[in-house]
Amino acid sequence: MEISKQEYQKYVQARAKSSPIVKNCVLAFLFGGGICVLGQAVMDGWTALGLEKTDAGTATSICLVFLSVLLTGLNLYNKLGRWGGAGTLVPITGFANAVASPAIDFKSEGLITGMAAKMFTVAGPVIVFGVAASVVYGVILMLL
């Protein structure tokens, strides 16, 4: 049976389940906010232990990356991501998850061709375009 592209699109749209956008937005807000609250609590803890604000920020970043990678290794971050959606992509934890997850998935292919090669498949473009954008921004700022 042959059908046109338009008929196929109509068929797909009729069968597609609609996304609960309000629910997804609320969950993303709550989970993302929860991660940020956790980060602030960790930073306040390091500050209470006597670290300067910049050192406490560094220690907080290290703790959040460690926690994110640990949860990824225990397959808990993915479960959290199913509920929290985009809220789990809070920059530092989401980036750590994006680096650790492919490394874990491809460890059976070896240290170099598996883990090392695949580790930045998701995070690599983020790094490249982030650096490129910062260069463009720096040149524009320098010219102004």
Side-chain angles (χ1 to χ4, degrees), residues 98-99 101-103 106 109 112-123:
V99 172
S101 191
F106 292 99
E109 294 183 21
I112 303 299
T113 59
M115 288 176 59
K118 304 292 184 178
M119 191 180 300
F120 290 102
T121 55
V122 174

Side-chain angles (χ1 to χ4, degrees), residues 45-119:
W46 285 116
T47 305
L49 290 173
L51 289 180
E52 297 290 325
K53 188 174 182 180
T54 55
D55 295 335
T58 302
T60 300
S61 296
I62 292 168
C63 288
L64 289 175
V65 167
F66 173 77
L67 185 60
S68 176
V69 171
L70 178 66
L71 291 176
T72 300
L74 297 173
N75 199 29
L76 296 174
Y77 201 91
N78 293 335
K79 292 176 183 175
L80 184 69
R82 284 190 199 113
W83 282 95
T88 60
L89 298 177
V90 173
I92 196 159
T93 56
F95 187 77
N97 173 262
V99 172
S101 191
I104 293 168
D105 290 343
F106 292 99
K107 70 180 177 182
S108 64
E109 294 183 21
L111 184 62
I112 303 299
T113 59
M115 288 176 59
K118 304 292 184 178
M119 191 180 300

